[in-house]
Amino acid sequence: MRKILVFTDLHYVEDGKLIGHLDPDARFRAGLAHALAQFPDAERIVIAGDLAHRGSHAEYVRLRGALDGCPVPVHLMLGNHDARGPFRDTFPDAPVTPEGHVQQVIDIGDTRLILLDTVDEGHHGGILCDARLAWLDAALASAEGRRTVVFTHHPPMSVGFAAMDAIGLANRTEFLALLRRRASTCQIVSGHVHRTVSGNAGGIAACVFKSPCHQSPIMRPGMDEHVSIDEPGAYGILYLSDEGVVVHSEDFGVPGRRELSYV
């Protein structure tokens, strides 16, 4: 099976700073090393937004250093913590639409990956404006029979956490209606929530991956989106086969973890 690795919500901070007691750079480097060792045949890596914590140039420079020498092509997306200007200054080769949105299409055999920019600048919630929806429509129309995996930072579904649902994808209705008109659409992949979630969005299979850094607990009434916990980081693996897309989530850095053999 062909494999795509997915990271999200790296939340890079400047050198010497931490998120709580966690170092996002160390956590991402550990996750990337684990993923490359476990899946050396992976064809692509997608990082689905919130690359930086405050969107500063220095944060993106640290991320660029962590990606230097990566043997697998890496495709970067933006989330609500990112800033387009500093990002584009640091990663000038990142594909950008004429309207300035960081979006791209990647064809891998019979699968089309569509990476969307859901950033609504100045807000933590996401949006897909008319220009981005038109771009998506064209990307779906030109898929030439390929099944599609659509990546968004903001999930287009409610996950059951009121604080996170309030800052999800605002115009999910229009987005999902567009996808339903395209029979080749088979999977939506998102981040933002810092938790492994699976379900469906308007009848389309959807999943959310954890961060390599800090995670969200099961949120109870009264908790806001800033609550986080220190759990093992994780990344996603998409298995692409003739039968479809299979989604896995892999934790790393689990204390005391040992591989067991059964006879």
Side-chain angles (χ1 to χ4, degrees):
M1 293 186 182
R2 309 181 85 151
K3 301 180 184 69
I4 309 297
L5 300 174
V6 184
F7 285 86
T8 187
D9 296 279
L10 310 186
H11 284 267
Y12 257 74
V13 293
E14 296 181 13
D15 190 21
K17 295 185 178 181
L18 302 173
I19 294 181
H21 64 282
L22 301 177
D23 180 355
D25 177 64
R27 295 288 290 253
F28 174 62
R29 287 177 182 268
L32 181 61
H34 186 279
L36 293 174
Q38 294 293 318
F39 304 98
D41 57 341
E43 296 187 41
R44 307 281 176 140
I45 297 173
V46 175
I47 306 183
D50 278 2
L51 310 173
H53 193 55
R54 301 193 182 279
S56 74
H57 180 261
E59 292 170 337
Y60 293 119
V61 168
R62 288 193 81 198
L63 171 58
R64 187 178 63 191
L67 295 174
D68 282 348
C70 182
V72 179
V74 178
H75 305 278
L76 302 175
M77 296 170 56
L78 298 187
N80 51 292
H81 282 261
D82 291 306
R84 289 195 183 95
F87 169 78
R88 292 180 62 182
D89 289 344
T90 313
F91 296 97
D93 295 331
V96 178
T97 69
E99 294 79 17
H101 300 123
V102 181
Q103 303 192 142
Q104 61 179 302
V105 167
I106 306 154
D107 289 334
I108 300 176
D110 62 357
T111 303
R112 168 161 286 192
L113 311 182
I114 301 176
L115 282 53
L116 296 175
D117 179 339
T118 58
V119 174
D120 186 7
E121 291 181 292
H123 302 88
H124 283 298
I127 197 164
L128 287 167
C129 62
D130 289 345
R132 282 174 275 188
L133 288 174
W135 183 94
L136 171 61
D137 191 33
L140 293 167
S142 63
E144 298 180 339
R146 295 180 180 88
R147 63 188 172 204
T148 55
V149 181
V150 180
F151 293 79
T152 66
H153 178 72
H154 296 83
M157 62 179 180
S158 297
V159 298
F161 298 166
M164 294 305 301
D165 291 339
I167 57 171
L169 186 66
N171 60 330
R172 68 185 69 171
T173 300
E174 294 86 348
F175 169 64
L176 295 172
L178 174 56
L179 295 187
R180 282 195 297 270
R181 292 201 298 270
R182 305 294 185 179
S184 59
T185 298
C186 65
Q187 181 72 52
I188 301 169
V189 177
S190 304
H192 191 49
V193 182
H194 291 241
R195 189 169 183 86
T196 304
V197 182
S198 63
N200 76 79
I204 301 169
C207 67
V208 178
F209 289 125
K210 290 169 66 176
S211 164
C213 191
H214 52 296
Q215 314 306 339
S216 173
I218 287 288
M219 297 181 72
R220 299 182 298 278
M223 286 184 173
D224 67 21
E225 68 272 17
H226 301 293
V227 176
S228 60
I229 52 178
D230 178 7
E231 287 184 344
Y235 55 89
I237 315 100
L238 306 182
Y239 285 72
L240 311 179
S241 75
D242 293 341
E243 297 178 357
V245 179
V246 175
V247 178
H248 291 262
S249 179
E250 176 71 358
D251 286 359
F252 63 89
V254 180
R257 182 175 183 172
R258 294 194 308 168
E259 301 295 329
L260 300 178
S261 297
Y262 295 91
V263 291

